[in-house]
Amino acid sequence: MLLVQDKLVHLDVLKEEFACNLKACRGACCWEGDFGAPIRETEKIQIENTLPKLIPKLSEESRSCIEEYGPWRPYPTLKEEGTPLLKNGACAYLMWDDNQIARCGFEVLFHEGVTSFKKPISCHLYPIRIDQDESINFEAINYDRWSICTAACAKGKDLKVPVYQFCKEALIRKYGISFFKELDEIAIALKKMES
């Protein structure tokens, strides 16, 4: 682990390679898994403000799920709140594009210029996951390996894209440009030491 500003960063974030390959996985991270995407307190207002524009674009099943659980729901085993899930495990905010690739409804509206909220930061950061303990102001930045991302790992290796570079926009959104620049400088220095 490395200390970057006041955050612990696992070396895999700098050394492993990753680049989403939606043609291969079809956005499986939006419809696989046991829990919804973690939602931060600061995102709840953005979600509530965006929902009136998003709800009409969602499927009837998604609308019913959000009506039943609300815009987010508790996941007690994770001690977090997250997006509600449909009975098949898909995120209630999932939309399918013309190629049957899963898309985040929030992100669709963002790209249409309808909202400034891109999507929950937990989704934007993936495959990075943040382990957090707010009571002691602790955050650890880790690379999450998931079998559904095998094609993304292969593509990242082909393109030589480290995880942190793939997540550049999300890391800047979460921690700011100075954090990312420091992380980048460390990654470059480590690479030079290894060569």
Side-chain angles (χ1 to χ4, degrees):
M1 298 290 271
L2 299 166
L3 188 63
V4 181
Q5 296 183 359
D6 59 346
K7 314 289 185 283
L8 285 173
V9 180
H10 198 284
L11 279 172
D12 286 352
V13 172
L14 305 181
K15 294 184 172 191
E16 295 295 327
E17 294 165 323
F18 190 97
C20 274
N21 186 343
L22 290 174
K23 288 181 181 175
C25 74
R26 311 191 79 70
C29 58
C30 294
W31 44 269
E32 290 277 343
D34 300 320
F35 305 101
I39 301 290
R40 302 284 173 235
E41 284 298 318
T42 54
E43 295 174 318
K44 289 181 177 180
I45 292 171
Q46 294 170 300
I47 290 170
E48 286 178 335
N49 289 342
T50 307
L51 271 181
K53 298 166 188 155
L54 179 57
I55 291 285
K57 294 178 175 271
L58 297 175
S59 70
E60 178 59 42
E61 186 181 10
S62 289
R63 291 194 298 270
S64 297
C65 179
I66 294 164
E67 189 175 312
E68 180 180 349
Y69 292 108
W72 50 82
R73 60 175 291 188
Y75 291 97
T77 55
L78 295 180
K79 298 179 183 166
E80 287 188 304
E81 292 177 298
T83 58
L85 297 181
L86 305 179
K87 288 182 176 49
N88 65 6
C91 177
Y93 299 117
L94 174 149
M95 296 170 69
W96 296 99
D97 71 12
D98 294 339
N99 298 312
Q100 290 303 297
I101 293 174
R103 301 285 183 186
C104 172
F106 294 113
E107 192 168 18
V108 169
L109 291 185
F110 174 83
H111 287 298
E112 290 175 354
V114 174
T115 179
S116 61
F117 178 58
K118 186 163 191 170
K119 58 182 161 182
I121 192 68
S122 62
C123 298
H124 197 186
L125 280 167
Y126 200 79
I128 288 175
R129 284 286 187 227
I130 310 296
D131 290 322
Q132 194 168 23
D133 186 336
E134 292 175 4
S135 67
I136 58 171
N137 196 27
F138 167 82
E139 283 187 52
I141 300 168
N142 297 299
Y143 169 47
D144 183 56
R145 288 172 177 80
W146 194 1
S147 59
I148 64 171
C149 294
T150 304
C153 295
K155 184 176 177 182
K157 198 173 197 77
D158 288 346
L159 298 175
K160 298 184 180 356
V161 177
V163 170
Y164 84 96
Q165 282 288 350
F166 175 75
C167 296
K168 178 180 179 177
E169 181 187 335
L171 284 166
I172 291 170
R173 175 182 163 197
K174 174 84 172 155
Y175 297 116
I177 189 71
S178 66
F179 174 87
F180 184 83
K181 284 182 178 177
E182 189 173 329
L183 188 65
D184 190 42
E185 287 168 8
I186 291 168
I188 291 166
L190 285 172
K191 197 163 189 173
K192 282 181 184 174
M193 286 170 56
E194 291 172 354
S195 59

